Amino acid sequence: MKVVRWRTALLLAGAALASLAMVACGGDDDEAAPTPIPTAPPAAASGDIIEVATAAGNFTTLARALEAAGLVETLKGDGPFTVFAPTDEAFAALPAGTLDDLLADRDQLTKVLTYHVVAGKVTSDQVASLTQATTVEGSTLRIKVENGKVMIDDATVTTADVEATNGVIHVIDRVLIPE
């Protein structure tokens, strides 16, 4: 039953994102284009979202949290998914006790983790032209270009377009917490 709800939520979020992408506006045509986001070196995707993140070596806390929330199999699924992935350093920067509290509360942990996922594959070119995106969790991420950097809520995209067979990962420097 959970898989059906997840798939339905992902499909609805994907439809919302597609609609949003059609009407999103990155600003006036007179504005200069944003500075390109650092992207991963071009390479053929070597695995699904979970495999690529695990192989990178700097998402061990995220992997542990996804396991605790029971989301690993979902992100190994067909997708496509766009994951704004906080690094281990981003998790370490949370206030003391926050990570432990999240790991102890599966519902809240799931809410936080699904707030980092957008249904569909959204590349850096597309992200930079959006002002918002609906997450799998159901809330809206604020997207803006500030001082040449793409911001997702208060997090900065540090590396974009890490390809996976079932989507794309954009590395961020903070854990996103839904309001």
Side-chain angles (χ1 to χ4, degrees), residues 60-80:
T60 57
T61 307
L62 177 60
R64 188 174 101 201
L66 289 167
E67 181 71 33
L71 296 175
V72 170
E73 288 307 310
T74 300
L75 289 176
K76 289 179 88 43
D78 292 339

Side-chain angles (χ1 to χ4, degrees), residues 20-29 31 127-132 143:
L20 175 66
M22 287 189 266
V23 298
C25 175
D28 295 337
D29 290 340
E31 290 181 7
V127 169
S129 68
L130 297 174
T131 58
Q132 61 185 19
I143 301 171

